[in-house]
Amino acid sequence: MIQRAPQFSPNSVEKDKAILDAVAAQRLQQGDSVAYIVEGEPLPVADAVFTMGRLPETLDALKKLQGVCIINSPQGIENCARCCLETIMKQAGIPMPPKDGPDGYWLKRGDFAAQSKEDVIFVSNKTELEQQIEAMRQRGITAYTVSAHVKGDLVKFYGVLGTGFFRYYYPTDDGVSKFGDEQHNGASHHYKFDVDSLQKQVETLSSAVGISVYGGDCIVRADGSWCIIDFNDWPSFSRCREEAAKAISTLL
């Protein structure tokens, strides 16, 4: 088990550790021995690796392992960087938010997953957008994505490819938030949408990206159409941890 470096778990260090603990408990019940390391420590000899790691050196070390089952794959984790992800989504025909619109814009760091609130920024107009792009460049970040804000219900989804496990939730219903960005979409209306279609498209994306344990966000519009605004490797599954741990364990 590789625990994610703290900078990649903003406001979620304990939640991310908790899902690893839950998966470890499942494997111990199956008679396996389980060892933990934190990103940056040498990799132990193992038949399988469950990893939440995102540091480049972690992914490079995992790529060198031979004959080891690795979940999620290091290549897939790299593909979750937003610039790479956007390209893959276009190629796979996944519904995405438009580049332009009347309701503001989202500027997101493109080289890594978000490490702070400054890596995912909402702006109301193009003037503010240019200012925030320059501020991001001043921080040394030159890879970024821009998309128009989409009105509708914010829906968080979680899944484990190949196991049938797929869950979705409305974060404004329970108030659980990492950065508070949910406020831009307001309270959920619970618009009706085709859940099976969403799951099918998300699993297509998961396969294209190359990860099995995933989570993400989409916006469901009033007419039931939707677009995916975020997709990432191995979330904390805090809303469905025990169910998810069983599904993740079955991947072995």
Side-chain angles (χ1 to χ4, degrees):
M1 298 276 186
I2 302 179
Q3 186 176 348
R4 186 171 287 154
Q7 64 263 40
F8 294 111
S9 293
N11 303 325
S12 300
V13 172
E14 294 304 318
K15 290 179 181 178
D16 283 351
K17 177 64 162 53
I19 182 61
L20 281 183
D21 289 342
V23 174
Q26 291 291 323
R27 297 315 310 165
L28 289 169
Q29 288 179 12
Q30 299 299 318
D32 292 338
S33 59
V34 179
Y36 277 95
I37 67 167
V38 178
E39 279 199 89
E41 297 178 352
L43 298 180
V45 177
D47 296 318
V49 176
F50 286 112
T51 178
M52 296 183 82
R54 288 174 175 166
L55 288 172
E57 52 265 40
T58 301
L59 303 182
D60 288 342
L62 289 171
K63 289 177 184 178
K64 295 175 183 177
L65 297 181
Q66 300 293 322
V68 177
C69 175
I70 305 173
I71 302 170
N72 286 304
S73 75
Q75 294 85 359
I77 295 170
E78 288 179 336
N79 286 339
C80 286
R82 285 191 172 94
C83 286
C84 293
L85 181 63
E86 189 173 271
T87 299
I88 293 171
M89 289 178 69
K90 288 178 180 177
Q91 293 173 343
I94 304 299
M96 300 169 59
K99 286 295 184 182
D100 206 354
D103 301 307
Y105 300 89
W106 287 96
L107 171 65
K108 301 180 180 181
R109 180 175 187 160
D111 56 346
F112 284 109
Q115 300 177 45
S116 69
K117 187 174 178 62
E118 289 71 30
D119 290 341
V120 180
I121 303 169
F122 174 79
V123 296
S124 58
N125 55 61
K126 288 189 175 180
T127 299
E128 291 181 18
L129 177 61
E130 291 302 320
Q131 292 172 348
Q132 291 297 335
I133 288 174
E134 179 58 29
M136 195 168 278
R137 287 171 175 162
Q138 290 296 321
R139 294 169 55 210
I141 301 170
T142 57
Y144 54 84
T145 64
V146 175
S147 59
H149 177 72
V150 178
K151 289 185 175 181
D153 288 341
L154 175 62
V155 175
K156 284 190 171 292
F157 56 83
Y158 306 90
V160 182
L161 185 66
T163 68
F165 178 85
F166 185 81
R167 301 289 184 273
Y168 69 94
Y169 301 88
Y170 298 87
T172 54
D173 286 356
D174 60 23
V176 177
S177 174
K178 184 178 291 186
F179 297 128
D181 290 330
E182 294 84 358
Q183 63 182 327
H184 293 288
N185 283 84
S188 296
H189 296 84
H190 295 201
Y191 297 130
K192 292 183 179 180
F193 70 101
D194 188 337
V195 178
D196 290 339
S197 175
L198 174 63
Q199 180 178 356
K200 182 177 180 180
Q201 287 273 13
V202 169
E203 289 182 346
T204 295
L205 178 58
S206 176
S207 296
V209 171
I211 61 173
S212 299
V213 183
Y214 63 82
D217 302 81
C218 71
I219 301 296
V220 177
R221 302 180 183 91
D223 63 1
S225 64
W226 50 266
C227 60
I228 292 178
I229 60 171
D230 197 15
F231 187 78
N232 51 74
D233 60 288
W234 205 316
S236 66
F237 292 96
S238 59
R239 294 174 172 88
C240 50
R241 183 178 299 128
E242 294 306 318
E243 286 183 281
K246 292 178 181 178
I248 296 167
S249 177
T250 64
L251 291 178
L252 287 183

